[in-house]
Amino acid sequence: MDRNTEVMKISDYELFYKNFKATYISMTAKPECRSKLFLRKIRVKKDDIVELNHQVVEKFKNHFEDTGFSINVIVKFRGRDILEFPNWLSFEEYNCVESNPIQSITIYWEYYLKLPQYKVPQKHVLVVKISDGIRPEEILNLVFAGKLENFEELEKEICPLVARVDFINYVLGDELLNIVDRWQQGLQTIDEESGTEKFFRKNKRKLAYALHYITLIVAAFCAFNIIQQEFLRSGVKMLVDLTILQVCDLMRSILIVVIALIVVYKLSDFLSNIFYGVLATDIEKHMFNISRGDERLQEQSIVAASRSRKRIFLSVMGTIILNITCGIITNLLTRI
């Protein structure tokens, strides 16, 4: 007998054990399970899901003989509406015209495969869940409800794409996860932030403080120059030589400068808060482009992103203009 054939041959005991294990699992327990999380922010269309189903089905049918299979799809919309499709054909023919955006799509492939050298059909299940992830208000609800005991499951919910396979055959389990991996790598990604935007978001607090305090330092320096110029104009070399009228003029000038500093402080604080607030607010990235609600939500996200960039630009430019204005006013007053 050829040596390679001997290596591939399964002993009677191993064959009995595998058949018994498959029978036992099919009646009483779950098969072994492996999950994979994907962090890429992808944009999913219905055609993309159809392509994924085609690849999975081809993998099962072209490499193994099936004794029965089912494909179920669950579509969850925002607003707690849920559509369940008992088979693939009903999902593929469905015309999604809902006004609500899709929150998640979960696809179940369940196949009973007759693998080589095993007489008992073995159950393999592939589950792929695509979702926008848990929103902050949903996490708070879980916290107050005391349902955060399973952090692993929470992590899976936050990821945009999760694949899980229940398997008997290790090679097949890995191949199914690899199919999902290659599929998601070929999808369109949601527009990522530029390097400048990422830097701003990462250092938003430091940058906001910098905008605020740089303006205050400039304003304080300008105020000092104005007061200094007022003292020099008095013509005296010592404070005790000031007349009552001169003291009143200096006090009036100091009061005006203090009021101006307060106004500059408030304006600077207002502009820096706008800068920080925009960067601290995450713009929702919607993954689906299937329903009418998805299209509307994506348009809103584009408008919100454009508005945020404009507000950041205006807050920075406003701070720069405020500093320049302080310098110009100081220059004019000190030359009089």
Side-chain angles (χ1 to χ4, degrees):
M1 183 179 295
D2 186 86
R3 179 173 179 81
N4 291 331
T5 305
E6 291 181 357
V7 172
M8 296 297 296
K9 185 178 179 181
I10 298 177
S11 64
D12 293 339
Y13 172 78
E14 186 178 359
L15 180 61
F16 170 79
Y17 172 76
K18 287 288 186 180
N19 288 335
F20 175 79
K21 180 180 178 182
T23 304
Y24 176 78
I25 287 175
S26 64
M27 294 186 301
T28 61
K30 291 184 178 180
E32 296 179 64
C33 176
R34 185 174 298 168
S35 299
K36 191 169 184 179
L37 311 178
F38 303 94
L39 301 178
R40 290 178 74 242
K41 294 290 186 179
I42 54 178
R43 179 66 48 75
V44 181
K45 298 179 292 186
K46 189 173 183 179
D47 291 341
D48 298 325
I49 299 176
V50 171
E51 176 60 26
L52 174 61
N53 176 70
H54 174 73
Q55 294 181 26
V56 173
V57 171
E58 287 297 310
K59 180 63 183 178
F60 280 124
K61 289 190 173 181
N62 289 346
H63 295 79
F64 305 98
E65 178 184 352
D66 68 87
T67 58
F69 70 92
S70 65
I71 304 174
N72 300 323
V73 182
I74 298 177
V75 181
K76 183 178 181 182
F77 296 88
R78 296 189 183 180
R80 302 184 181 276
D81 293 330
I82 298 177
L83 290 178
E84 297 188 22
F85 300 91
N87 54 68
W88 180 255
L89 184 61
S90 61
F91 170 74
E92 194 170 13
E93 293 180 345
Y94 179 72
N95 185 19
C96 191
V97 294
E98 273 75 7
S99 59
N100 289 332
I102 295 175
Q103 182 172 332
S104 67
I105 295 179
T106 307
I107 313 168
Y108 298 85
W109 290 272
E110 184 175 304
Y111 275 76
Y112 286 86
L113 302 178
K114 188 176 181 182
L115 301 176
Q117 300 180 346
Y118 299 109
K119 296 180 181 180
V120 179
Q122 301 185 31
K123 180 180 178 182
H124 289 74
V125 179
L126 173 64
V127 181
V128 173
K129 182 175 182 180
I130 313 164
S131 69
D132 281 333
I134 291 183
R135 290 174 292 175
E137 58 267 27
E138 293 176 332
I139 295 178
L140 288 176
N141 290 336
L142 290 174
V143 171
F144 291 123
K147 295 181 179 179
L148 284 181
E149 64 277 359
N150 195 333
F151 288 95
E152 181 181 357
E153 291 301 319
L154 179 60
E155 183 182 15
K156 292 179 183 179
E157 289 291 336
I158 295 175
C159 288
L161 177 62
V162 179
R164 190 197 78 222
V165 59
D166 301 336
F167 60 91
I168 299 292
N169 183 283
Y170 285 90
V171 176
L172 178 57
D174 289 338
E175 289 179 348
L176 291 174
L177 291 179
N178 289 335
I179 287 175
V180 179
D181 190 4
R182 291 193 299 269
W183 172 77
Q184 64 91 24
Q185 288 179 12
L187 295 180
Q188 176 189 1
T189 56
I190 297 176
D191 295 335
E192 295 289 341
E193 294 179 330
S194 64
T196 303
E197 289 174 330
K198 289 181 179 178
F199 174 80
F200 275 21
R201 287 193 181 277
K202 183 178 180 180
N203 301 278
K204 55 183 177 293
R205 187 178 296 276
K206 295 178 182 178
L207 292 173
Y209 278 132
L211 288 175
H212 182 51
Y213 286 112
I214 287 176
T215 302
L216 293 183
I217 291 173
V218 170
F221 181 76
C222 292
F224 174 79
N225 285 339
I226 293 173
I227 298 300
Q228 182 186 45
Q229 188 64 25
E230 287 294 317
F231 273 106
L232 293 176
R233 285 173 182 167
S234 64
V236 298
K237 296 182 178 180
M238 299 182 64
L239 292 176
V240 294
D241 296 332
L242 291 172
T243 65
I244 297 297
L245 182 60
Q246 290 175 325
V247 170
C248 291
D249 290 338
L250 286 172
M251 290 181 63
R252 186 187 307 109
S253 299
I254 292 174
L255 178 61
I256 293 174
V257 167
V258 170
I259 294 175
L261 283 175
I262 294 174
V263 172
V264 170
Y265 174 87
K266 291 295 184 180
L267 288 174
S268 175
D269 184 60
F270 174 74
L271 293 171
S272 61
N273 281 335
I274 291 177
F275 180 87
Y276 178 81
V278 172
L279 293 176
T281 303
D282 292 328
I283 299 174
E284 184 176 9
K285 302 291 186 180
H286 189 55
M287 297 180 58
F288 299 100
N289 188 15
I290 299 176
S291 71
R292 291 178 180 175
D294 296 334
E295 296 177 359
R296 186 176 66 252
L297 192 58
Q298 288 179 22
E299 292 174 356
Q300 292 174 356
S301 297
I302 294 173
V303 172
S306 177
R307 187 184 297 116
S308 295
R309 294 189 186 98
K310 289 180 180 178
R311 294 186 68 186
I312 291 174
F313 175 77
L314 291 175
S315 64
V316 174
M317 289 303 300
T319 302
I320 294 174
I321 292 173
L322 184 60
N323 285 301
I324 293 175
T325 302
C326 289
I328 292 174
I329 293 174
T330 301
N331 186 54
L332 292 175
L333 292 177
T334 54
R335 284 187 176 184
I336 297 175

